Amino acid sequence: MTRILALVWPTLRSGRDAPPGSGAVDVPAMLDRLDDLSPRVEAVDRGVALVDVTGLGPALGDTGDERRIAARAVALVREVAPLPVRAGTGENRWLAVLAARLALAARPDPATPAAFGAIPAGPAARRTLAVLSLDLLPADPATRGRFALFGLTTMGELAALPRSAVGAQFGAEGERLQALARGEDPRPLAPRRRPERLTRRVGFEPPMEGIGGTALLLRRCCAELCDTLRARHLAPGRATLTCELEDAPPLVTALAFPEPALEPDWIARLLLGRLEAAARSRRLHDPSDGDEEPRVAAIGLALDRLSNPAARQLGAFNVQAGRWEELRWSVERLTTRFGPGRLWRATTERPRAVLPERRARLTGLGHDATGEEEP
Amino acid sequence: MTRLYQHHPLVQVETDASGTPVRLRLDGVTHAEVGICNAWRIDDDWWREPVARSYFKLVTRDGLLCTVFWDEIRGTWHLERIFD
């Protein structure tokens, strides 16, 4: 017997943001926490997650029932974001989500989630559904109107009709809705694959003066992680550098590679260049920081989007897009290597202009694009 | 490959009576024997900021090939392009 736990976050579904002061909601981190409960977790949509909790009762002790399993799941996700959540369990994904929607806000036990509902398994599920309104079915307004024309108001009335008759009157969509009204949902749970992420963090005691001073350690972190991945025939597609400052919010910069890269020198140099640019930009927008170099308490490096570079297959229809990405990547590397003000992009503006200096426009690449132009 | 100067640095040019360059001084070096490869005029933008230039493509005895022009409005000589 399969049991599915559905977690529904109403504020995420309605598009409202997290409570003030809590920052952006890290949904992937919430799902990662659910992985600690069950290996089968599916992110259905923003604000809905399904967890396969079949057989988890004994794992949580002799008294482990579904209410306690749901409480455990809610406690896990609330460690990441303390959002209001509804939980429900059912025999399949439809029943689980429906149970969560119908969950009452009563809290008979502090250990239970704020709102929990359960639809029992077997024939009892059909009896539970029978009294529910048809408005709860995921039907379009036209189908709802036709149900009303036929005098159907509850799921029990729709479920009791012969399937062939429903198919004749309402088509395949009607048959699907009737199956839901009977508590049947053949859609299996599609567990998400937890993305692997290699991280390394280095702390400084006392804090280091200036971001540039971390270059050597960052280079070493990159080399260590790249060596680990090379031994597994993997390469990262993205690198993220977090710089924890002593008396300011952390600086975070991410670098997505056009193709998997295992070049620690370049990864470190490009990340550091971007981080320094972000630090300069912050000083520019917040002059209260003054001209003092930031004091770095720790740096954290994360490599993810891992793939096997040898097995990389180019798309048949986006070759040009891939080339532009590779060109952008090459240009960025050249800019870093030769410094600002040495690399220029020429854009043809008036190819038939009489004066040659008006035929093309030169734009500097890098940070300080001033100086003499060259074609 | 040529080097095109967007801001046209000033150069010292001596001309004959007809206004044709006969001597060019560039980067501290005087190029005395100047041959004229080509010459043309450009008049443009008369409706907003007039441009009137007399262009000369020059070659010197030591192999320098360049384009200079006489700005007829400002009365100055400028270097526009050096050919490799």
Side-chain angles (χ1 to χ4, degrees):
Chain A
M1 181 187 66
T2 305
R3 294 300 287 172
I4 305 286
L5 167 68
L7 294 172
V8 179
W9 292 273
T11 51
L12 290 181
R13 282 190 67 74
S14 63
R16 277 179 285 157
D17 222 343
S22 64
V25 179
D26 189 356
V27 177
M30 293 162 71
L31 298 174
D32 287 348
R33 296 312 309 267
L34 288 175
D35 282 343
D36 294 343
L37 184 70
S38 167
R40 289 169 55 81
V41 177
E42 178 182 348
V44 182
D45 193 3
R46 184 171 172 83
V48 180
L50 298 177
V51 187
D52 188 347
V53 294
T54 309
L56 276 189
L60 293 180
D62 296 336
T63 58
D65 60 1
E66 289 181 349
R67 196 176 274 273
R68 290 188 180 278
I69 294 171
R72 174 75 181 140
V74 170
L76 286 171
V77 294
R78 280 190 171 164
E79 289 174 7
V80 178
L83 298 177
V85 57
R86 291 180 172 196
T89 54
E91 205 169 16
N92 52 47
R93 52 194 303 152
W94 151 245
L95 292 178
V97 173
L98 183 63
R101 287 175 64 191
L102 297 174
L104 298 176
R107 296 187 65 183
D109 180 354
T112 60
F116 174 78
I119 295 180
R126 192 161 169 176
R127 284 197 297 276
T128 306
L129 293 180
V131 295
L132 298 178
S133 166
L134 277 182
D135 291 341
L136 292 168
L137 284 177
D140 56 85
T143 309
R144 285 182 204 281
R146 297 192 65 207
F147 283 152
L149 279 177
F150 279 81
L152 300 172
T153 55
T154 64
M155 292 197 199
E157 292 167 355
L158 179 63
L161 294 174
R163 183 178 174 181
S164 58
V166 172
Q169 284 294 337
F170 302 102
E173 177 65 9
E175 289 185 9
R176 185 182 73 87
L177 294 172
Q178 189 195 32
L180 294 180
R182 290 175 172 176
E184 300 164 2
D185 187 358
R187 294 173 298 166
L189 197 75
R192 76 193 191 103
R193 191 174 167 187
R194 186 173 183 166
E196 192 179 358
R197 181 182 170 96
L198 262 68
T199 58
R200 189 62 52 96
R201 184 179 180 279
V202 181
F204 302 111
E205 187 60 43
M208 189 169 282
E209 294 282 347
I211 292 173
T214 64
L216 197 64
L217 274 167
L218 176 62
R219 161 76 180 77
R220 190 186 298 168
C221 286
C222 279
E224 288 175 3
L225 293 183
C226 285
D227 286 346
T228 307
L229 291 174
R230 188 175 287 112
R232 296 170 53 196
H233 302 289
L234 290 174
R238 185 177 63 174
T240 307
L241 177 62
T242 305
C243 187
E244 297 171 21
L245 304 178
E246 190 186 42
D247 45 10
L251 286 167
V252 181
T253 184
L255 180 65
F257 312 134
E259 57 185 19
L262 269 177
E263 298 167 88
D265 281 343
W266 283 112
I267 294 173
R269 289 172 70 171
L270 291 176
L271 280 175
L272 207 61
R274 289 190 174 200
L275 201 67
E276 286 175 334
R280 276 198 301 271
S281 171
R282 180 184 282 183
R283 278 207 296 273
L284 205 64
H285 290 101
D286 187 7
S288 62
D289 286 356
D291 291 334
E292 292 178 6
E293 286 284 339
R295 290 165 59 81
V296 183
I299 57 167
L301 176 67
L303 301 182
D304 56 1
R305 297 183 184 170
L306 307 182
S307 63
N308 183 353
R312 181 171 176 252
Q313 188 172 6
L314 291 174
F317 300 102
N318 58 359
V319 174
Q320 200 62 40
R323 282 182 186 159
W324 278 116
E325 267 304 296
E326 288 176 9
L327 179 64
R328 187 186 64 75
W329 171 240
S330 303
V331 165
E332 188 160 1
R333 287 163 56 145
L334 285 171
T335 309
T336 305
R337 180 169 182 180
F338 292 107
R342 304 298 301 272
L343 213 63
W344 301 82
R345 175 185 289 119
T347 311
T348 304
E349 286 196 323
R350 296 168 56 198
R352 304 175 76 88
V354 176
L355 297 174
E357 65 264 27
R358 292 182 184 170
R359 290 175 195 154
R361 183 168 52 89
L362 294 171
T363 316
L365 301 171
H367 306 303
D368 302 315
T370 55
E372 186 61 59
E373 301 85 350
E374 292 181 34
Chain B
M1 179 72 78
T2 67
R3 181 182 174 120
L4 176 70
Y5 292 87
Q6 293 285 86
H7 297 303
H8 305 140
L10 288 167
V11 288
Q12 295 176 3
V13 176
E14 291 181 24
T15 61
D16 60 11
S18 64
T20 305
V22 294
R23 189 172 296 170
L24 169 71
R25 186 169 175 80
L26 186 64
D27 291 337
V29 178
T30 302
H31 304 273
E33 296 182 32
V34 169
I36 308 295
C37 302
N38 200 0
W40 66 95
R41 272 186 57 83
I42 284 181
D43 287 285
D44 198 18
D45 283 0
W46 53 266
W47 59 92
R48 50 179 185 189
E49 189 180 352
V51 173
R53 297 175 182 174
S54 295
Y55 275 87
F56 296 91
K57 188 172 183 180
L58 309 175
V59 64
T60 64
R61 170 177 279 276
D62 47 2
L64 173 69
L65 181 62
C66 63
T67 302
V68 298
F69 65 83
W70 165 249
D71 190 327
E72 297 182 1
I73 294 173
R74 295 178 185 165
T76 49
W77 284 94
H78 297 269
L79 176 68
E80 187 194 78
R81 189 188 298 261
I82 291 181
F83 297 83
D84 284 346

